[in-house]
Structures are given as C-alpha cells and as structure tokens.
Amino acid sequence: LARKSATRATMTMRPALLALLLAAAPAWADEVLAELERRSGIPIAELQVILEDCHRTQMSANFCAFRDFIQADLRMRKAVEAKLASLPESCRPSLARLQARWEKSRDARCNRHADDQAAGGSMRPMVFSDCRATQTKRRIRALDAMKGCPSPQ
C-alpha cells in the first residue's frame, strides 16, 4: 500500500516537474540561440530556419552540432562560475588557469579528431562541434565532482 502511494505521488509529481522544465526551456533556448547568433554572426531568424531540421542539409547538421556545443559551453561556464564561487580565494586563480588550459587542450584534441574523421569535408564542422560538446559535458561532470582546490597539472 505504501509503495502504491509513493508511486502515485511520483506519477502526479512528474507532470508538475515536466511543466516546470518546459517553462524554463524557452528561456534557456533563447540564451543558446542568442549566443549562437553572437558567435556565428547569423541573425536569429535565419538560425531558426537552419535549425528547424538538423537532417535537412549538411549545413543544418553543422549548425545543430554547433548549437549543441554552445549549450554545453554555456553550462560549463556556469559550472566554472559556481565552482569558483565555492572555492577559497587562494584557489580561484589555479582553477582559472587549469580551465583555460583544459579548453585549449580540448580544442586541439577536437581539431585533430575532426581532421582525422573529415579533413576538408563538409562534415568537419559538425565533427569538430560534436567532439567539443562531448568533451565539454565530461568537463562539467569533472567540475561537479571536484572537491577543494584543484591540483596543478
């Protein structure tokens, strides 16, 4: 009986949680789209058309992958800000240096990967952005798991 009550309570909470997440999604999507516009120089109205169907053209696939990277990048920046705020003042410069080094290393690694997979091809931007998004999501998990002052590497 207690299990049924807990299951019912969970089932009634899910729609509320979903509604909350959907309400927050447009604001987050707007932030990602604005950042995509800033980084690409393409107006939002044009980006919306390009992003309607990620499978329509290679350009659409490239921009969808870039959008996914930007979304991960914005989340990582927020995670870094939160981690910096939680650390003692003496640790903050170390994390900032490590983060800058990590980003440079990620981009170099993903450039090599994109060249290996699609050098000179129309898929290269998609492969590059997908790699950066994947690596950035891993970095977010590492930042979340980080305890105390980061050790220099």
Side-chain angles (χ1 to χ4, degrees):
L1 185 60
R3 184 176 171 99
K4 279 187 177 181
S5 295
T7 302
R8 249 186 254 125
T10 302
M11 303 260 311
T12 55
M13 286 175 53
R14 284 185 185 158
L17 179 60
L18 183 59
L20 179 65
L21 290 173
L22 289 175
W28 178 248
D30 289 347
E31 183 179 348
V32 172
L33 201 53
E35 185 64 14
L36 183 56
E37 176 186 45
R38 189 184 73 72
R39 293 187 194 188
S40 70
I42 297 173
I44 287 178
E46 288 181 42
L47 288 169
Q48 289 171 323
V49 171
I50 293 168
L51 298 170
E52 274 177 2
D53 180 1
C54 293
H55 304 289
R56 183 176 47 224
T57 65
Q58 187 58 54
M59 184 180 76
S60 292
N62 292 345
F63 270 94
C64 288
F66 190 42
R67 177 207 50 212
D68 294 346
F69 162 66
I70 287 173
Q71 183 175 18
D73 191 53
L74 291 172
R75 285 190 174 144
M76 180 184 67
R77 300 218 177 281
K78 289 179 182 187
V80 169
E81 286 175 25
K83 186 57 69 178
L84 285 169
S86 74
L87 292 173
E89 187 69 38
S90 60
C91 295
R92 293 174 187 171
S94 177
L95 177 58
R97 280 191 305 276
L98 287 173
Q99 183 63 25
R101 253 189 270 147
W102 180 87
E103 289 178 28
K104 186 175 180 181
S105 172
R106 174 204 58 200
D107 290 348
R109 187 172 37 250
C110 289
N111 261 315
R112 285 190 303 274
H113 175 71
D115 285 343
D116 289 345
Q117 298 298 311
S122 62
M123 289 178 53
R124 190 192 184 287
M126 180 186 70
V127 173
F128 179 61
S129 291
D130 183 59
C131 177
R132 291 198 307 165
T134 300
Q135 295 299 316
T136 300
K137 290 172 188 172
R138 286 185 186 146
R139 181 63 176 172
I140 293 167
R141 289 191 296 275
L143 287 164
D144 289 344
M146 188 183 292
K147 306 286 187 233
C149 293
S151 57
Q153 297 173 349

